[in-house]
Structure formats: C-alpha cells, structure tokens
Amino acid sequence: METWGGDQVDAAVASCLAALRPVADQDWAAVKAGRLEWSCHTTAFHIAEDLFSYAGQLAGRAQEDYVPVELVLEGDPGSFGLLQVIETMGVLLATTVRATPPGVRAFHPYPFRSADREGFAAMGVAEVLLHTHDIAEGLGFAYEPPAELCEDLLTRLFPHVKPGPAPWPTLLWATGRGELPDRAPVTEWRWRNNLVIETERLTLTGVRPAAARDLNLGGDGGFTWSEDGPYEGTRRAAGMLTQAYEAGVHRPEFGMFALVRRQDGRAIGGMGFHGAPDEEGRVEVGYDLVPSARGQGYATEALRTLAHWALERDDVRVVFATVDRGNEPSRAVVTRAGFTQVGDDGTHVAYVLRR
C-alpha cells in the first residue's frame, strides 16, 4: 500500500488554489463563507492556520496539548496574499508529513487524543477541501475536488460513515454541509482518528478501512510486516472490517488492530473485535500471530490489554472468545489472559472475561 499523506496535502491545496485564484479580486471580508459565521477572508486564514498547526503538532511531537504558537499575518495581505499563505503552509505540512516516521503520534483532542502522520495529513486535507467549499459557496460558484481525494478522506477520518453514492456529496453530508437521499441531516459531527493502545512491547494500532481493504486484497495495509506476515487470519479479519464499513456499521474502536512490535516497528499479527457490543454489553474478540512471533507471549500481552481496555468502557460487560478445540496454544493464550472456559461443543471452546 502506497504511503498516504504528503502528496494528498499537495493535491488538496492545488485544488483550493485553482478554485479560488480566479475570484481573489473580490472582497472576501464582506462575504460570509457559506453556512459559516466567518467571512470568506477569515475562513481562508483559518485554512492556513490549521495547516500550520498540524505541521507544528507533528514536527514537535506534542503529546499533552497544542504547541503554544500561532500564525500571525503581517498587515492585510488581501485575498491573493492569503492564498500565498495557504500555499506556503500546505508545503510546510506536506513536508512534515513526509519527514515523519510511521508510528509517530502527536496530540490531537478528538477522539483518542492523538493522531499519526496520516491522520494529520487527512485533517489538513479535510480543512482545505471543506473550507474551500464554504468560500466558494459564499462567493456564489460551485466547487468539487477530486473524487479519489474525497474517498481517501472518508476512509481515514470518517470510518463510521457509510459510503454514499459519490464521495464528495457524502463528505459534505457527513460534515453538515449537504443532503443525501434517505439520510437524516447531520447537525453535529466529528472526524475520528484511529485508536492506538500500548502494551509493554507492542502498539495495537487501529486499522483504517483503507488499510483493511488493501490487506484483504493481498497488500500490506501500510504496515511493515515480519517476513512471514500478514497471516491469513489477519486478511480475513480485514475483509470483515471492510464489509462492516461498507454496510455503515463499523465502529472504529471495535474494529481490528495491527500488533506492531515496538523494538523494530514490524507488524506481527492482528487482533480485534467481531463488531460493536450487543445490547447485553457482550463483545467477541479474535486474533492471530505470524508463526515467527508465536511462543513469546505477544498474544497474551495484547489480549490481556485489549480485553481490559474494553471492560473499562460503560458499554462492555463481557469479552467473549471462541477457540478451535484442537488449538492448544490459542487456548493457553486466553487462559493466561484471564478468561474462563464456559462452553465446549466438541469443535470449539468458549471463553469469557467479565467486568
């Protein structure tokens, strides 16, 4: 899977500049930007501010809060000057994303208090595309960015949103800027960066729908795998995630995680849930490891951490696992992780861990 980030920031900014330069001779300060309360001038500056802020967060590796710095314009640069600032800040973010190693995360408040380089790139692209739309709407002309860019954005920041008939109208609907047939209007929204959960030796990295689709089709999902990975169970789980996303029932925190070994940055397996908790607070977990990583306690370590993470939530009361009866190593993993056997039908053995 090709690295996603810097090129997409460049493409979003190029789309913005191509749309707005022909109308830069108008008075942006006198016109409200679409449905926003801001003027088109303020909205354009906001685009530049966000690009600058995301680059700063990622470059500075901020962990607890925003880096205490702000972008200040010198004088009144006018609309043409604002576009130059957007272009410059776009280069800054794209360059920072390209220079940031995979796995590095920095603070962003929603929803899990961090984002990786792909997340910051996606947030930058979202700010550019959506606010270019707002400015265009305010100035009275139509704007539509490349469909592929919008689809990429939906799979990275809106994994909880069912794909619609076309990516751009779906993105506008998901952010309260448009309508879709048979869907209620959106009045409040948030994007969702992927979740990571740390253990002593591993990082459980939430797999985005785009990565899951690539894994299911035989790719690497953007991860650097151990030589004998990914294993077949990981690819099947990626297919389940892809189906859930396309059906609009995917909840990212109850999806799939790649088990990334911190000492070398290599993915050694997959672990995750078969779906969101049911009405009784019951959620099922599954996992696999590449052969070379087995017998070293990685699966037990990951399962114990993920199960306890789930049980700390208000909507989970029981974590459930089913293991093939003849799979003694896997049965040992769930037992060491604290699960109790509750059933055996001769083919599969059922285990639970309760709150």
Side-chain angles (χ1 to χ4, degrees):
M1 182 177 179
E2 295 184 2
T3 300
W4 195 95
D7 291 349
Q8 286 70 29
V9 172
D10 287 340
V13 171
S15 173
C16 165
L17 299 178
L20 297 183
R21 273 181 175 146
V23 294
D25 57 347
Q26 298 185 34
D27 184 2
W28 290 9
V31 180
K32 191 171 74 168
R35 306 182 188 192
L36 304 182
E37 294 301 321
W38 296 335
S39 69
C40 292
H41 182 283
T42 300
T43 304
F45 180 57
H46 177 73
I47 294 173
E49 282 184 308
D50 283 333
L51 294 171
F52 172 76
S53 174
Y54 295 152
Q57 290 298 104
L58 194 55
R61 311 290 199 267
Q63 297 299 311
E64 300 298 331
D65 206 342
Y66 290 110
V67 176
V69 64
E70 63 178 340
L71 181 64
V72 177
L73 297 176
E74 183 176 350
D76 183 1
S79 303
F80 285 102
L82 281 174
L83 292 178
Q84 184 179 22
V85 177
I86 290 173
E87 184 173 23
T88 303
M89 294 304 104
V91 171
L92 184 63
L93 178 57
T95 302
T96 303
V97 168
R98 293 187 180 106
T100 301
V104 169
R105 299 183 75 87
F107 173 81
H108 189 274
Y110 192 83
F112 304 118
R113 296 185 61 80
S114 74
D116 60 7
R117 63 181 185 181
E118 192 168 319
F120 278 106
M123 290 187 290
V125 170
E127 297 286 357
V128 172
L129 300 188
L130 293 170
H131 288 314
T132 299
H133 161 80
D134 296 332
I135 295 170
E137 190 172 55
L139 295 175
F141 69 95
Y143 167 71
E144 182 168 347
E148 182 179 0
L149 201 55
C150 301
E151 182 177 8
D152 287 347
L153 196 57
L154 286 164
T155 64
R156 285 165 173 83
L157 289 186
F158 298 88
H160 53 294
V161 171
K162 182 179 180 179
W168 180 232
T170 304
L171 183 59
L172 292 178
W173 171 82
T175 57
R177 289 172 167 84
E179 298 179 355
L180 282 183
D182 303 322
R183 299 199 194 184
V186 172
T187 56
E188 295 183 3
W189 62 274
R190 293 278 191 178
W191 54 49
R192 300 180 70 85
N193 280 295
N194 67 330
L195 172 65
V196 296
I197 302 172
E198 302 285 350
T199 75
E200 181 181 353
R201 296 177 295 169
L202 302 169
T203 299
L204 279 63
T205 304
V207 176
R208 298 176 170 97
R213 182 181 297 138
D214 184 69
L215 279 167
N216 188 43
L217 293 175
D220 59 17
F223 297 95
T224 302
W225 286 87
S226 180
E227 297 80 2
D228 49 349
Y231 202 59
E232 58 187 32
T234 295
R235 296 201 187 279
R236 287 198 301 269
M240 292 170 58
L241 190 158
T242 302
Q243 291 174 0
Y245 169 66
E246 292 173 349
V249 296
H250 176 51
R251 282 181 59 184
E253 64 270 39
F254 288 106
M256 171 184 168
F257 298 82
L259 308 184
V260 180
R261 192 164 50 198
R262 288 215 296 272
Q263 71 177 35
D264 59 5
R266 290 186 176 273
I268 59 171
M271 181 173 290
F273 302 100
H274 292 188
D278 62 19
E279 295 179 354
E280 298 178 355
R282 180 176 175 272
V283 65
E284 184 171 0
V285 67
Y287 54 88
D288 73 0
L289 285 182
V290 299
S292 63
R294 295 172 187 171
Q296 301 173 55
Y298 288 124
T300 301
E301 181 179 321
L303 180 59
R304 183 183 293 121
T305 300
L306 185 60
H308 282 282
W309 171 86
L311 290 169
E312 289 176 353
R313 297 173 55 93
D314 293 338
D315 53 355
V316 177
R317 301 185 65 83
V318 178
V319 181
F320 180 79
T322 302
V323 183
D324 289 344
R325 198 176 195 283
N327 190 342
E328 294 295 340
S330 189
R331 292 177 63 183
V333 166
V334 292
T335 300
R336 287 194 299 267
F339 285 66
T340 301
Q341 181 177 330
V342 294
D344 183 347
D345 64 6
T347 303
H348 301 97
V349 183
Y351 296 85
V352 299
L353 183 64
R354 301 183 186 280
R355 185 183 298 177

